Amino acid sequence: MSARRAVSARRALFVPAALALGVALTLTACQSGGDGGEAKPAQSAASGAPAGTAPDGTAGAGAATGAAPAAQPAAGAPAPAAGAPSAAAPVAGTSARPKNPAASAPGSGGGAGGGEAYAYSHPCEARSLTVKVTARAEAPAQRVIEVRNQGTTACGLSYYPLVSLGDSKAADHGKDVTPLVPSGLGGAPAYAVAPGQTAYAVLDLNPGGGGAAGVDQLNVLPDGEHMPTAETRNFPLGVGAKAGRPKLGLYGATVAEAAASAATADRQA
């Protein structure tokens, strides 16, 4: 009886001890598995593997594909218009250099048809000019020579036209009368005439009065420095015209300016 009680007592003590040992072993196994799971990320980070890459080298979720991500526009910056060229690359067929605004004019003077600088190096052609001679109402002995540029570009004339007075019926014009012109000339190399502009020159046939008769024709070459004498135009002076030491002025923009210049003529042309 007492032996049975001893066996029962030993069984009662063995079962709880075995259960306790099993629980302890289970806890140890769990702790060992947890430590191994936490060591893997640490080993990966220490080995220098890129973020988002698994330990075996394969790309994981969110890993880079080899191209750098596109730069995002700043907050609030307007989006570029559809089809607009990129600011980083030039548009095909364009130049980075600004156009020259004067490239459209034929000369350096600027504006349509060139300017004075262009005219100085481009003498007028006779075919582009019209020449007209009229009597001045307030001074019957004076003749106004009008030279108009009918061309499309500016051109240059000599300071004054080449003028002579003579007999239209004479076979020899060697004795034709030439007028006095102003002295002390200088400045611009030519008288510039813009397209559609008229240059005026005034000839005083008889400034001192009492001139001799026998002349009835006025011969005008618009530019005596660049035009051949074959381009000379002839104009009748009318009945009773007299010439005595005539004076010719420089080209001017108005008749009054040209007349004032004629009054200063003091040397033989």
Side-chain angles (χ1 to χ4, degrees):
M1 189 72 180
S2 39
R4 288 178 179 177
R5 287 178 180 175
V7 171
S8 299
R10 282 195 293 269
R11 287 178 177 176
L13 291 173
F14 178 77
V15 171
L19 291 174
L21 180 60
V23 171
L25 291 173
T26 303
L27 290 175
T28 301
C30 290
Q31 291 176 357
S32 177
D35 292 340
E38 292 176 0
K40 287 181 180 180
Q43 181 180 3
S44 175
S47 65
T53 304
D56 59 359
T58 59
T65 61
Q72 299 296 325
S86 169
V91 180
T94 62
S95 171
R97 295 184 180 181
K99 291 183 179 180
N100 189 346
S104 61
S108 59
E116 289 186 356
Y118 179 83
Y120 294 156
S121 59
H122 291 77
C124 295
E125 298 181 359
R127 63 183 180 181
S128 298
L129 304 175
T130 58
V131 182
K132 182 170 65 172
V133 174
T134 58
R136 194 177 180 199
E138 57 270 39
Q142 294 182 359
R143 298 294 184 270
V144 178
I145 302 169
E146 303 178 19
V147 180
R148 183 177 179 84
N149 181 3
Q150 300 283 52
T152 58
T153 60
C155 61
L157 293 171
S158 52
Y159 286 160
Y160 51 84
L162 183 60
V163 169
S164 65
L165 300 164
D167 185 350
S168 59
K169 302 180 183 63
D172 180 12
H173 290 276
K175 296 182 179 180
D176 286 359
V177 179
T178 57
L180 301 176
V181 295
S183 59
L185 303 181
Y191 183 83
V193 190
Q197 183 182 10
T198 299
Y200 299 94
V202 169
L203 173 68
D204 192 337
L205 298 174
N206 192 11
V215 294
D216 62 355
Q217 181 171 274
L218 172 61
N219 309 304
V220 179
L221 183 62
D223 187 333
E225 295 181 1
H226 302 97
M227 294 181 182
T229 56
E231 299 294 344
T232 301
R233 320 285 176 91
N234 309 115
F235 301 91
L237 288 176
V239 179
K242 293 182 180 181
R245 292 186 61 82
K247 292 185 176 184
L248 173 68
L250 306 179
Y251 279 123
T254 64
V255 174
E257 179 184 344
S261 176
T264 66
D266 56 357
R267 72 176 181 86
Q268 195 66 46

